[in-house]
Every structure is written in C-alpha cells, then in structure tokens.
Amino acid sequence: MGKYYIGFDCGTMGTKTAIYRLDSTKMADAYRENKISYPQPGWAEMDPRGFVQNVREGVRECLEKSGVNPSEIRGISASGIICGIVGIDEDWNPVTPFVPYLDARARCEAEWVKANVKPCWLNESGNAIVDEFMPPMILRWFINHYTGFTDRAVKVVNNGPFVLGTLAGLKADEAFLDWATMSGWLIGYNVRDRQWSKRQMDALGIPMRILPRIVKPWTVIGYLCPEEAEKMGLPSGIPIVAGAGDTMQSSLASGLIEPGLSTDVAGTASIFAVAVPGMVEEISKTPGMMLATGTLPDSYFYWSMIRAGGLSLRWFRDSVANRPGDSAFYSEMDALAGEVPAGSRGILFYPYLQGAGPDLPGACGAFLGLFGSSDRAAMWRSILEAIAFEYAQMIQIYRKCGIPLKEIIGTEGGSKSPLWTQIKADILGGAYNIPTRSEGGLMADVAVAAYGVGDIEDLKTTMQEWVTFRGRFEPDPKNQKIYKEIFDRRQLILSGSLRDTFKKLEEIRKIFKQ
C-alpha cells in the first residue's frame, strides 16, 4: 500500500487542497475561491463554514483526479490565516463570522489598549504594536460589541483549526491552536514558552477560559469523524494533525529555515519574513516589525504585512476591470504592463485598501499621478511596484539592524509572475529566488501530517531535501537607480501631505456613517 496525505490551506482569497505521496510527489490539487464580504467601510467578514465546504469539495476533487485509494490516506493537516478568529459554541458551531486581518472594526479597542494598558507584551511577545487587525483586539470587540457573544461563545479559534476541528468532530473543550498560529496573535503570549500569558490577557481584559489550548504543529488532535468522512469520500478514523499558520508553513515550504534568509509570501496579504535566531530588541521595538515563532522548534522570524497586497490585484480585476473570477486576467495584465517602463510613467499607487496600520491612521487606497493618457497597463504596473516599495520600507529597517538581506525567496501565487518578481528584485536590491515548487504551505502541511503520524523521522531535514530552486532574478542596475529616485520621493509624499489627506478623507467617510 502507498502512503498519502491530505493538506489544505485556508487562505483569504481561496482554499487550496492537495494530496501528496510520502516522497513529496503531489498527486492532485484543487482550488476554491473564498467569499469576503465588506458590510461596512473598513470591515471584512468570511463565513467559517465556507472554508469547510471548500475543503470537502477540494478533497473529493483531488481523490477523483489522483485515483488515490482513500484507504491509503495516512493523515490530514492544514494551514490557515494567522490573524483572524471566529467564536464557537460548545458544539463547535460558529457564533460569529470569521473576522480576518483585513478588518479594522476594532480600532477603538486598539486605541483604548494603547492608552490604558502597560505594554508588557514587548518583552514577552517581542512585538511593539497594538493594532485593530490583531486577534486580541478583534476578541475584545466581540466581547464588547457582538450581540450574544458572551452568552454563546465558549472558545475562539483561527480558521485552520476551525476546519480541522470540524473534520474531527471536536467539542469546544477540545479547542486547540498550534504554537505558530498563536504567534500570529502578536500579543497575549510568551514567545519563549510558546504559551498564553495570563498576565497579558488579564491586562487586556480577556478571560483565559475562552482561549484554546496550545499544541505542537504535529500533534494529533483527533480523527476524521464518520459524518465528515462520508461527505469527502474518505474512511473515518484518519488522524487529524494540528498544522500551523499559513505564513509559517509558506515560509517553511520556501526554505526559510536558517537565520539570515528572507521570504516574500506573495498572497492576499503580502508578507515579508526574515529568519532570526531569536528576539532582536531593536527590531521588536519598531512598529510594524512583528516577531513570530516558526513551525519548527527554536525557529523564529520577523515579518511585516501589507494587508491588501495581492488583494489590490484582485480588487482591480473584480471591481475595476469587472472580470471577477477570471484567472487569465493576471497574466494578460502582466503582458501589457511589461511594455510600460519602470516607474509606471509617473503613476504611484498606495495599497491601503484595508488600511495601513496605526502609524498611518485613516489610510486608504490611492492612485496619484493620473492623466487622460494613463491606461490600465500603467495602473497595473504601479500596483505591482507599490507592493515592492512597501517592502523596501521594511528592508531599510532590517538592514539598519545589521541584517543584510541579499537573498530573497518568493512564494505563493505572486511569485509566479516574472514581471512582478523582476520589479521586486530591482526595487529591493537583492537577488530574488524562485522555488522549484510554488505550492505555498501545502507541501509543509503534508510534511507535518506525515511527521505527526510517524512516517518521517525529522521534519527539518525532510523540508531541506524537498525544497529546491528553479529561478533567480538579479537586480537590473538601470531600473534600480530609477526606482531609488522614485522611492525617495514617494516616501516624502507619504510622510507629508498624503498623511494629512488621509485624515481629511477619513472625516469625509464619517459623514456617510451618520
């Protein structure tokens, strides 16, 4: 009999599912778009049951396409969004929507915490910021404002564990969170112990009883229940392994294993991560630089996020070009934008469709420099450049702290674009490497599943063997010089008049809420 494993990644824009063989061969994969609703400006919600349905359909599709005997599936694991939570009742039913990092409803909670709570998380969690997108702030908002939450919610979990718990038929008292996803909460835990911090939670006004237990990513948290097994065409009793956060799994699957390497997780949220041996005090004190625990023991990295990185491209496709669901649109626009010179003929885009964090209150998406001669190709290229310019801000800080960052690894869907990859190499001034397999965290998910059920002996060694590279993009000196001049002026605009403009725009938006 063969040994096969199911992995799925519950991301923001879509849910990916795959079946792998023990030798890392991908037998089949499937993809379903996730629905995001925006009930108010700055809000974002998702139906947690939608993730479950997409996984069910994905598993069935993978079984049909691969021809794998369902009885040969040895384990199931997953990755999910690290900044986002859903409340569940005692029977594991959702009592709230899943609120992801794109949401800004908890701004008042974040402001209250910053004004009234001593930042004890800096030394314990290694993070300086308090922002509305963080799960503890969303949880405070649930407690303070969501009707029925305090009466009905027994636990809160992230979306990956929610789906895995559903497959295992768990009850709320069995709720779990792996140590990597936990660090996506950014505060409320001790990064060294990899456990919740009662001292922080008490200060934040969050009861410990609502928090799930913390487990290792390879912990078997249950077994596939008969009801879900029937819906997916699998035998019941397959071990369900805890898995880890999508950022951590994507980084692991791209080769971000040793300190000094960096990776660009080019997904819905564009995330830049740098592996480090542990907490670096100067970086931890810098707002926007967030410390995380990796999937592996004793692994750490700092990461920074552009909330609407890849989402900006989907927004342009769906809401501007009116081509929702058209996967060919991206390559079509890349081909057109490839004919546009570096600098997008003077167009600048600021990718703040879902805000930009506490250092830029009121921020929203903005195109600058448009004329009647401007076309969609230049606008598209300006979006691609905008994400790289945001990364350049982050890299400045890392390099000032003595981390050179000459080698960058790209992963997730955005790394499939040669144009975007070259733009990033030019703007960031470092070699950009493309893994042979751009499968995101799925490969790490199935490796964790195999390790959890005892089919591989060493997770780190296995990942080092599985990760290889197929491409390398070096910076173009001419474009690099152009982008440096644009970047300096772009930063002056951002720190000057545009900051005031965002504040005035926020005042205008408040008129419509009255």
Side-chain angles (χ1 to χ4, degrees), residues 159-171:
N159 68 332
F162 174 79
V163 178
L164 290 170
T166 300
L167 300 187
L170 300 186
K171 299 292 186 180

Side-chain angles (χ1 to χ4, degrees), residues 284-342:
S284 288
K285 290 181 178 179
T286 304
M289 302 295 159
M290 299 167 280
L291 181 64
T293 55
T295 302
L296 301 174
D298 301 320
S299 62
Y300 303 88
F301 61 85
Y302 281 94
W303 63 283
S304 305
M305 175 177 67
I306 306 165
R307 296 186 201 178
L311 181 67
S312 296
L313 302 177
R314 176 165 164 177
W315 162 79
F316 192 88
R317 181 196 71 177
D318 294 356
S319 300
V320 178
N322 196 28
R323 301 262 297 271
D326 186 353
S327 59
F329 180 79
Y330 299 111
S331 57
E332 175 187 318
M333 290 307 303
D334 275 5
L336 294 173
E339 300 299 318
V340 177

Side-chain angles (χ1 to χ4, degrees), residues 171-467:
K171 299 292 186 180
D173 59 3
E174 302 170 286
F176 69 94
L177 208 61
D178 66 277
W179 66 31
T181 301
M182 176 196 68
S183 69
W185 284 45
L186 298 171
I187 63 174
Y189 61 90
N190 189 306
V191 71
R192 298 177 183 88
D193 297 343
R194 303 194 175 199
Q195 287 292 336
W196 298 121
S197 166
K198 187 176 186 304
R199 180 167 75 115
Q200 289 187 53
M201 290 301 179
D202 287 347
L204 294 169
I206 294 174
M208 293 293 290
R209 65 177 180 275
I210 204 166
L211 302 174
R213 63 192 173 103
I214 303 302
V215 300
K216 298 175 182 178
W218 45 87
T219 300
V220 175
I221 55 87
Y223 299 87
L224 185 62
C225 68
E227 180 182 356
E228 290 298 327
E230 183 178 359
K231 292 177 181 178
M232 293 189 291
L234 292 169
S236 62
I238 297 173
I240 306 292
V241 180
D246 54 2
T247 301
M248 295 75 180
Q249 293 293 76
S250 290
S251 297
L252 179 60
S254 69
L256 191 74
I257 296 174
E258 300 296 339
L261 295 174
S262 61
T263 186
D264 165 23
V265 183
T268 306
S270 293
I271 295 174
F272 195 82
V274 181
V276 293
M279 190 186 302
V280 179
E281 186 173 346
E282 186 176 354
I283 299 178
S284 288
K285 290 181 178 179
T286 304
M289 302 295 159
M290 299 167 280
L291 181 64
T293 55
T295 302
L296 301 174
D298 301 320
S299 62
Y300 303 88
F301 61 85
Y302 281 94
W303 63 283
S304 305
M305 175 177 67
I306 306 165
R307 296 186 201 178
L311 181 67
S312 296
L313 302 177
R314 176 165 164 177
W315 162 79
F316 192 88
R317 181 196 71 177
D318 294 356
S319 300
V320 178
N322 196 28
R323 301 262 297 271
D326 186 353
S327 59
F329 180 79
Y330 299 111
S331 57
E332 175 187 318
M333 290 307 303
D334 275 5
L336 294 173
E339 300 299 318
V340 177
S344 303
R345 301 194 183 100
I347 298 175
L348 292 177
F349 179 66
Y350 290 87
Y352 309 141
L353 295 176
Q354 294 299 127
D359 294 331
L360 204 60
C364 53
F367 279 108
L368 300 181
L370 295 176
F371 286 91
S373 59
S374 301
D375 58 22
R376 59 176 184 157
M379 294 174 72
W380 183 262
R381 185 178 182 110
S382 74
I383 297 175
L384 301 180
E385 292 173 343
I387 309 306
F389 282 135
E390 293 290 314
Y391 280 169
Q393 298 180 72
M394 305 169 188
I395 285 180
Q396 277 188 334
I397 296 170
Y398 290 122
R399 286 175 174 159
K400 285 179 181 178
C401 293
I403 302 175
L405 298 184
K406 295 295 184 182
E407 298 290 331
I408 303 164
I409 302 168
T411 185
E412 292 293 340
S415 66
K416 299 177 182 178
S417 166
L419 173 64
W420 202 5
T421 300
Q422 185 62 57
I423 287 172
K424 288 174 179 175
D426 294 342
I427 291 178
L428 303 182
Y432 196 101
N433 301 279
I434 305 298
T436 304
R437 305 163 68 163
S438 56
E439 298 161 18
L442 288 173
M443 188 165 64
D445 294 339
V446 296
V448 167
Y451 184 61
V453 300
D455 288 345
I456 60 176
E457 295 183 0
D458 188 285
L459 184 56
K460 180 177 181 180
T461 299
T462 297
M463 293 309 301
Q464 288 174 326
E465 292 173 350
W466 285 7
V467 177

